[in-house]
Amino acid sequence: MSGEDLVRAVLSEVAPQELPHIDLVLDAYRRSPWPVVPEPDGHGHPTGAGVPVDQVASWGVFVTAFVANVLATMLVEEGVKRTGRGLLGWFRKPKPQLTTEVPRLVDEGKLAEVRAAALQAALDRGFPDSSAERFADSVATILQSRRS
Amino acid sequence: MPSASIARFVSAALSTVAAAMFAGHWFLGLRLDSGGRCAAADFPTCVDQGRRLEAVAILSGPAVLLAVALVIYLVRPVLERRRRVIVGVTLPAEAPLRHDVEAFASATGLRRAPLIEVGKAQEPFVYGAWPPYRLVVPVASTLNAVNRAPRDLALLAHEIGHARAGDATRYGAVIACWYASILVVVAPLAIDAWRIAQSVGVAAPQLTWRLVVVTAMLLLAVISANRAREFEADARAFQDEPAARVPIGPDRTPALVAAIGSGQHNWLRFAPSPDRRLAALADPVRRTQPAFHDAAAAGIAAGLLGTELSLLVELAFPVNVWPAYLTVALLTAVPAVGALGLPAGLPRPRVAALGLLFGSGLLIGTQLAPRASADWWRAFPAAGGRAAQMNLFAATPATAALVAVTALLIGLAVTAWAAALARHRALIWLVGVPLLAVPLATWLLALRLAAGSRWPPGAIAGVLLTPARQVPLIAVATVAAICAILRHHQVTPSLVVPAQPPGARQVLAVSALWLLTVLAVVLHPSSEQAVQDLRASAPRWDSVPPPATTNAAYACFWVNHLGPEGLPGAEEVTGLGQVGAYLSTVDDPTLRQAGTSLAGPGRAGITDWRQAAATLDLVMTRCDSLLSALDQPLPKDTK
């Protein structure tokens, strides 16, 4: 199961209505990745209305960033290596690889750690408690089902 | 009248162009010292060419500014796209967001829906140099459209409002003008003035503070223009047909209010505060009511433009300045009346305040103009009388006070008249422009005489209140009074608008103005005495004999000592004959030739006053040129 497959699997549980449109989000992320939790004073439009990000959050965008950032850092360290080679690599931002295979989880402790990270990320992103719990459960369930 | 964002754009653009005119004159006119390079041979042709070059120099400022602004204007969207758009990601044709955008665009009357791009920003925005504009939506919005998120859709409606208003063009132009003015005008002028501070003296700091204030004012205009367009876009988000409300439900107000009202805001942001946006949404009158600073900005822009433009137009009318100032005032009044734009039904105190602010702005604008920084001919002798002082602080206090009060009265009268006829836009353009232009021309000329020549109020009135100059004022005041009276009779009996003031006071005010103008002309002969007194007190050609030498430099000292007022007038034939006879003996061929021309046949004096005026102007110019080129001590032996 690749990172993208994992995104689709999680999304089918937490926001199935977004699933038909997730390809655009994945495409955009490949070209210009974004953080899981946008910075409070991020680069919004200088003349814009200043809408807080929690009011325009969508699951697809969040799940993609979570899998490619938090999860990849925890489970697929090679996936976040710099894509550039040589000297240029020092100057390039790491581009997480959503196409990289997600390894099987065999450690119960690691699974709990991933679930806790998912819950925290969703809460940080501004999702309500119940939705955040549902998201963390679905991530853990999918990774667990892959293990068995 | 134009919307607030258009009015603010006009004010900002005019101020920028005015400052650029001075920059052109500084670098290509004053600094190159073109008048001083004319040799004696064929001096008149050289002077004519010099005038043309000076005009080109003045025009080159706005030309360079516009060229740089155009480049910035065209490059900004490209940079915006590189910085904030995820290039290569295309929204599918069947995406719900695309349907929403098309529905909003159709509802607001946009012929071509904006092109949709997916962006890195957290919020949607519209950009582009011309329609169809590009609507950049955050990645999240493509999914939120699926979720029917009301805030996203409300924001989308707001952005479509921007596209419908076409304000991306204006805002891009304002920003481009501002950047270009710093690059082309402010920075180069300030740096160059300080570089030659030793020769221009106090003009360097005087010029610098004016440039800094104009730049700050332009920045405020940019912010102001942006805030106005946000209010307009908010308003347009509601101005749709009921059918268009389908995408986000029957009432989008709560969603839009929530979206714009919950954002973080600080005063440094270009966008208006949520509180102000909510207030503007709740009370539509706030959007149409002109702000006080708009009236002041319109006045400042007009004052700036009038002052800088006069230098250019004087070149076209080197002998008679009245047509020059009338042309300047007409050219200035068109955008000023547009930028002033008043809606109908304004309360009287507000109209009065707007009028006074417009008049104050007019006065401030003339004093903020870079040209008013100094008597430029002192630093650049070949600049001639056209570069005379326009700083009102150089005038006597009584004259300065009179000129200032007149500016306020002009602003008050024109604004009150325009407010009374606010519903008749065609009339405001047709009559309002000359109604502002004619007194403005007189006022600008008065300012020039007060500041540059330090004339007392009586003498200024004597020169300006002549029938030839006041006939246009009487004509426009009469037409304006007739318009106001006709409108009064139309509106009052029918009581179409109960809140509308009856207009009797405006009619009285306009009639009073008309009466005062006529009286001024009737009383003119008494005021003429003040001019004669002034002329009698100044050194005259017949009271100060010419130096007993043929050396042209000494002759020019004499000419400059007399000045334009001390030399014989164009119609004083005897005086022309005597001055001409003296000048025809000096050792400069140009002055000799001019002297022969002034002397006329039999040394009785030239009778063609136009030729006389042109020749006297030539004599002054040649003397400026000769004295500026003096680089060695004058001979002691003057025989």
Side-chain angles (χ1 to χ4, degrees), chain A residues 31-100:
Chain A
R31 294 167 193 269
S32 175
W34 52 83
V36 181
V37 181
E39 293 158 14
D41 295 315
H43 300 289
H45 192 239
T47 62
V51 182
V53 286
D54 65 303
Q55 295 182 4
V56 289
S58 71
W59 278 109
V61 171
F62 167 72
V63 174
T64 303
F66 174 77
V67 171
N69 275 284
V70 181
L71 210 56
T73 308
M74 294 175 76
L75 304 180
V76 201
E77 291 197 357
E78 65 272 21
V80 293
K81 282 181 180 171
R82 296 182 182 90
T83 52
R85 292 174 188 279
L87 191 62
L88 276 179
W90 288 98
F91 298 101
R92 286 186 183 167
K93 288 181 182 174
K95 278 199 173 181
Q97 301 290 305
L98 276 166
T99 49
T100 309

Side-chain angles (χ1 to χ4, degrees), chain B residues 482-495:
Chain B
I482 290 169
C483 290
I485 290 165
L486 287 180
R487 173 219 162 255
H488 172 61
H489 284 304
Q490 275 176 0
V491 173
T492 310
S494 62
L495 292 174

Side-chain angles (χ1 to χ4, degrees), chain B residues 116-377:
Chain B
I116 303 172
E117 292 178 341
V118 178
K120 303 170 189 172
Q122 306 289 337
E123 304 160 4
F125 65 94
V126 169
Y127 77 103
W130 47 71
Y133 299 107
R134 291 167 187 272
L135 169 67
V136 181
V137 291
V139 179
S141 291
T142 62
L143 297 177
N144 287 341
V146 180
N147 298 329
R148 318 302 306 152
R151 290 189 184 94
D152 265 46
L153 290 168
L155 280 174
L156 209 56
H158 170 86
E159 294 304 325
I160 297 289
H162 278 304
R164 178 68 183 86
D167 54 25
T169 303
R170 284 196 297 280
Y171 184 65
V174 168
I175 289 275
C177 275
W178 190 66
Y179 283 135
S181 72
I182 289 177
L183 286 174
V184 175
V185 179
V186 178
L189 263 182
I191 291 170
D192 196 49
W194 283 101
R195 212 164 58 79
I196 57 165
Q198 281 199 330
S199 60
V200 295
V202 73
Q206 287 280 340
L207 184 60
T208 308
W209 79 255
R210 281 178 170 84
L211 290 171
V212 169
V213 173
V214 170
T215 309
M217 203 195 77
L218 282 174
L219 178 62
L220 290 178
V222 170
I223 294 174
S224 181
N226 186 59
R227 292 187 172 171
R229 81 185 190 119
E230 293 298 334
F231 291 135
E232 283 168 35
D234 284 347
R236 282 187 187 272
F238 294 94
Q239 288 175 353
D240 56 2
E241 295 299 318
R245 295 179 178 170
V246 173
I248 60 167
D251 185 9
R252 75 175 64 149
T253 311
L256 185 57
V257 166
I260 66 173
S262 58
Q264 291 177 348
H265 178 81
N266 63 60
W267 67 273
L268 281 174
R269 282 184 78 101
F270 274 33
S273 73
D275 289 343
R276 288 192 62 196
R277 292 174 70 163
L278 291 173
L281 272 175
D283 181 10
V285 177
R286 279 171 174 263
R287 293 196 301 272
T288 54
Q289 217 170 42
F292 290 127
H293 63 267
D294 283 343
I300 290 174
L304 264 170
L305 187 68
T307 308
E308 297 298 344
L309 201 58
S310 61
L311 192 61
L312 176 68
V313 181
E314 273 185 53
L315 291 167
F317 302 91
V319 176
N320 193 351
V321 292
W322 174 243
Y325 276 81
L326 205 53
T327 310
V328 167
L330 275 169
L331 290 173
T332 307
V334 175
V337 166
L340 188 60
L342 300 172
L346 282 179
R348 271 191 217 111
R350 195 174 182 90
V351 171
L354 289 169
L356 289 174
L357 282 168
F358 179 69
S360 311
L362 209 57
L363 183 67
I364 293 169
T366 57
Q367 300 308 297
L368 271 183
R371 189 190 160 184
S373 307
D375 251 342
W376 292 109
W377 60 265

